[in-house]
Amino acid sequence: MRIIKLDATESTNSFLRDLGYTNSLEDYTVVVTKQQTQGRGQMGTVWRAKPGENLTFSVFKAYSHLKIENQFYISMAVSLALVAALKDFNVRKISVKWPNDILSENKKICGILIENVIKQNVLDSSIIGVGLNVNQKSFTNLPKATSMAVQEQQFFELDDVLLTFLKHLKLFFKQLEEGEFSTLHTRYEAVLFRKNKPSTFKDAEGCVFSGFIRGVSSTGHLQVLLEDEILKTFSLKEISLLY
């Protein structure tokens, strides 16, 4: 495993992608930086983290036989690896807010940005970006943010956390490569935030409604039980969970 450590870069995903243009990347090549100046999140959001206190990194992963329709299992595997790593450090009440925000006690502790490369209608590889709040203790104007240090009142070695995550990532990707989709799906739904609890949602038009999260489809759509026992599926652009 090759780990590239940087003092600063605009985006570890962009750095790793650009590196792949000029170099043949080996599986699990990692780029980690102390400071990310233009970190990106889901749906064009910005990921902010105090330099040197958190983990901001990206991982390159190649595939051989993974079909495009199964690409959400990549998100499941990465989410489960983060859940397992955080549990190894005894971080409390970890869950996954669909599709792949990692929460501790209902507060966001980690964000994931996965950029897939598709060649000739086949999934070729992914660049998996992770922003994990580790030792940061204050989050200005971010009331729903937390960190490992805030949750457990202790300092964590960044390298230890990174290597623990990578260990679990390899295990879950092994399941993915062996076609254990059902196992990944079951484990993902078992840690899904607010599953089977009354929840409030907002759709793309701004309308607010209530329902129960029942799970996710194999393609990553959220399954919500609405009034009159109607089960409806939503894509990421169609719905957001209010909490």
Side-chain angles (χ1 to χ4, degrees):
M1 182 190 301
R2 181 187 181 193
I3 299 180
I4 302 167
K5 294 186 176 183
L6 306 173
D7 285 330
T9 189
E10 290 183 355
S11 160
T12 55
N13 266 33
S14 298
F15 184 96
L16 193 51
R17 182 189 64 233
D18 293 344
L19 185 65
Y21 291 149
T22 55
N23 295 266
S24 178
L25 298 178
E26 64 179 87
D27 232 8
Y28 297 102
T29 296
V30 180
V31 172
V32 58
T33 186
K34 294 178 181 178
Q35 182 178 6
Q36 189 171 234
T37 58
Q38 295 181 25
R40 294 174 288 129
Q42 291 278 4
M43 304 288 286
T45 57
V46 176
W47 182 263
R48 295 185 178 90
K50 286 188 177 180
E53 296 184 4
N54 306 297
L55 277 172
T56 46
F57 64 95
S58 297
V59 183
F60 172 79
K61 182 72 187 77
Y63 310 109
S64 55
H65 303 293
L66 190 61
K67 296 179 180 178
I68 292 175
E69 56 264 33
N70 292 326
Q71 62 184 301
F72 190 71
Y73 288 97
I74 300 169
S75 184
M76 290 185 190
V78 176
S79 297
L80 288 169
L82 282 159
V83 168
L86 287 165
K87 286 184 176 179
D88 276 359
F89 290 98
N90 299 313
V91 181
R92 66 192 74 181
K93 295 183 179 179
I94 299 298
S95 60
V96 181
K97 177 178 169 289
W98 174 82
N100 55 20
D101 281 347
I102 311 300
L103 307 185
S104 174
E105 288 192 314
N106 302 347
K107 290 191 173 185
K108 186 171 178 177
I109 196 169
C110 181
I112 302 167
L113 177 64
I114 300 172
E115 296 178 306
N116 295 323
V117 176
I118 298 172
K119 294 182 179 179
Q120 298 179 337
N121 294 320
V122 175
L123 269 171
D124 177 78
S125 58
S126 293
I127 295 177
I128 301 157
V130 177
L132 175 59
N133 296 330
V134 181
N135 292 316
Q136 185 171 335
K137 290 191 174 181
S138 62
F139 297 88
T140 305
N141 299 322
L142 293 171
K144 292 183 179 179
T146 191
S147 69
M148 295 172 67
V150 168
Q151 294 302 99
E152 300 308 317
Q153 296 300 305
Q154 68 178 85
F155 175 86
F156 295 90
E157 291 290 346
L158 297 180
D159 284 348
D160 290 347
V161 178
L162 175 61
L163 293 175
T164 298
F165 164 71
L166 293 172
K167 175 190 71 175
H168 286 292
L169 187 67
K170 287 187 174 183
L171 292 173
F172 282 109
F173 267 123
K174 186 173 185 292
Q175 290 186 1
L176 179 62
E177 289 162 351
E178 292 176 351
E180 297 181 26
F181 301 121
S182 179
T183 300
L184 289 169
H185 201 148
T186 299
R187 293 190 66 168
Y188 175 86
E189 289 192 335
V191 293
L192 194 58
F193 180 59
R194 297 205 63 78
K195 184 183 178 186
N196 296 326
K197 295 180 180 180
S199 302
T200 304
F201 305 89
K202 184 168 68 174
D203 65 19
E205 287 72 42
C207 297
V208 176
F209 62 96
S210 298
F212 292 80
I213 293 175
R214 288 297 190 234
V216 295
S217 70
S218 60
T219 55
H221 287 67
L222 190 68
Q223 299 168 329
V224 180
L225 185 67
L226 305 175
E227 294 180 357
D228 302 322
E229 297 298 307
I230 297 172
L231 186 66
K232 188 172 181 180
T233 60
F234 297 90
S235 70
L236 182 59
K237 294 181 179 179
E238 293 175 320
I239 190 176
S240 58
L241 172 64
L242 305 178
Y243 70 106

